[in-house]
Structures are given as structure tokens and as C-alpha cells.
Amino acid sequence: MIVPEKEIRFSDLVGWNKDNHGAAFDVFLNTKPQQKNGLLLEILNEAKNYKNPKIFFEDNFTPVLLGGQKEVLFTGYYEPVYKGSFFRDEEFKYPIYETPKDLPLTEHWFTRKQIDKEGVLGGRKLELVFLKSKAEVFFLHIQGSGRIILKDGSTLRVGYSASNGHVYTSIGKELVKRNVFSKNTISQKKIMDWIMKDTEAGNELMYKNLSYVFFKKLNLLTLSDGPIGTLELPITPLRSIAVDPETILLGSPVWIEKKGKKHMNRLMIAMDTGSAIKGIGRVDIYYGTGDIAGTQAGEVRDSGRMVVLKPKSKATRGLKKKNE
């Protein structure tokens, strides 16, 4: 996809001088093991020569507006924490599944309704863990990762493995369309409460999202690690974002200027993707783990600006400042 680009200056970035560039620098350095782009890898290798993270970014990158001055829609996501069990019982009835071996790579497969209501995966021993409600399973699918607190108090980390190939449909937009909530007041908590209030209506609403996600156990993560993003690395609260990899190279530094009640001007690293994050007009900000992060993420639906930091060629990088 060819996207128009416009180079600007670092002085054009609102709040650039006030950001904690060191925090973004640390996250950017962590992408090195998975970095496949030659220019970015060269820059990562030179990072050891810099004492000042702000100068590092200014020396090695050029701020670029994609698609001119088009505004971006910012949303938030998080890592939910739910109670669960390895065994189905009266409290924990609703499974999340590992990826079926016969899942096609390029075709649409069974829908959410066929899997949840018609039980087409029954008897195949694909259940990873059981949760308390279909709503929890549904929102775990949306977030793409989670922590499950088991009956013995231990924590199981799970993350995205694959999907059934169907396009994601927002049930929030459907509720707004029905005038249940307004565009300005809807939140994940309100959607969850609405689903739980009327199980039958809630199930039918969730079935409108044909997309279905399969999970895998993340056994190597510590409790202090974030969930695994598309770069196959742990992501960092308020420094990692999900983007469309067709328009922004994963591992790239990205400056965001989010408006709204809680505006945010800071340097992020593109480390993740999402089924609803398509084109240059969408960015998803990772807020962290648990209910507080979930509340914060669920309230974000703000406009703003995104500026990608494109790597300079080796010939045009300024090297004189790197030891300052």
C-alpha cells in the first residue's frame, strides 16, 4: 500500500521536549531480537553509542506524517484478568480453545455462533481453560491476551494464536446503532453489563461478531512481563501500540498526539496489531493489566495525530551529537 508522506521537524511535534524519551528508548531497544528491517537494525546497533535518548531519536529518524494531516482515531486495549479452571464445573463452563490442527490458513472457518452455540468443536479436546461467562471469553478474544487465576492461586498466561478468518465486527457500534448507548458514552464496562443483564440478548449480540480467536499458553512469561505482541515480544503499558503493519513497519518509533479528556503526547513503539486496527487512521494504545487498565482503555475513543519516525539512511544520519 502506497501512502503519501510528508516530512516535518521534531520541533513540530507537540510536547516532544517534555516526553520521557528514555522510556521509549528502552522499549525500542527491546525490539532488537525481532527486528528484520536493515535500517532499523543498523540504528539499534548504534544505540550503544548514545547517552542521550532524545538526541538518539533526533539523530537517526525523520518525523513523517502519513496521509497528510488526516486525523487518527485512538482506542485502548489491555490484558484482562479472569478466574478460571482447567476443568469444566458448575462455576466454570465456558472454554477458550487452542488452535485446531485443521484450521485453514486462508479461508473462513466456523463462525462464533457455530462454535459457541452449536458446539462444533465439542469432543476434540481443544479446551485450554474454562471461564465463568461467555462475555469474559468474548472480551478475552477482543483483547487478544489475558491472565487466568486458577483455583490453586497460580496464574496462567494466554495469548493470541490464530483466528477463524472472519472479519471482526464491533458489537459496541451495533449497540450505538440500536440507540442503547451513545457514541460518546459507551464503554467496555457498559457493554459487559448489558450482555450480563440479558443472557439471551447478549449471546445474540456477540454472535454478530463472526470472528473467533484461538489461544496458546505463554509459559515463558514472568508475572512482570507484559503480554506478547505481534513482534513476539512483551509489550509495555503506555509505550507500546497496535498498528496496521501494512502501513507502519512493526518496531518503528511512533509519536502520538491524542486529544480527549486525558490528552497524551508521547513516543510509542509499534509492537502489535489488531483485527480492528486497519489503515493509517487507527491506533490502539496498550494500557496494562487488570481492571484499572481496563477502565482506562475502555474510555479511550479520541482523535488526534500520529507521526511515524522513519529511519534516516546511513549517509544522512547526524553522527556528531551521539556522544552528547
Side-chain angles (χ1 to χ4, degrees), residues 31 34-36 77 143-145 159-161 216 218 226-236 240-246 248-251 269-275 277-278:
T31 68
Q34 296 295 333
Q35 186 52 254
K36 303 297 190 297
Y77 70 114
Q143 302 305 324
S145 62
Y160 177 93
S161 176
K216 59 187 175 184
L218 303 177
I228 297 294
T230 306
L231 265 184
E232 294 296 324
L233 295 167
I235 57 179
T236 302
S240 297
I241 55 174
V243 298
D244 183 348
E246 294 294 320
I248 297 176
L249 182 69
L250 289 179
I269 308 300
M271 299 183 69
D272 208 358
T273 60
S275 56
I277 310 303
K278 300 299 180 185

Side-chain angles (χ1 to χ4, degrees), residues 92-140:
F92 301 102
K93 301 178 182 179
Y94 304 99
I96 62 170
Y97 294 104
E98 65 182 358
T99 305
K101 291 182 179 179
D102 57 343
L103 180 71
L105 297 178
T106 59
E107 301 173 19
H108 294 167
W109 208 49
F110 296 117
T111 66
R112 177 174 299 277
K113 188 172 184 178
Q114 289 174 309
I115 294 171
D116 277 353
K117 188 174 184 179
E118 299 173 18
V120 295
L121 296 184
R124 299 180 61 174
K125 298 183 179 180
L126 296 171
E127 298 88 349
L128 280 180
V129 67
F130 296 88
L131 304 184
K132 286 186 175 182
S133 71
K134 283 186 179 180
E136 289 181 342
V137 172
F138 183 86
F139 282 103
L140 188 63

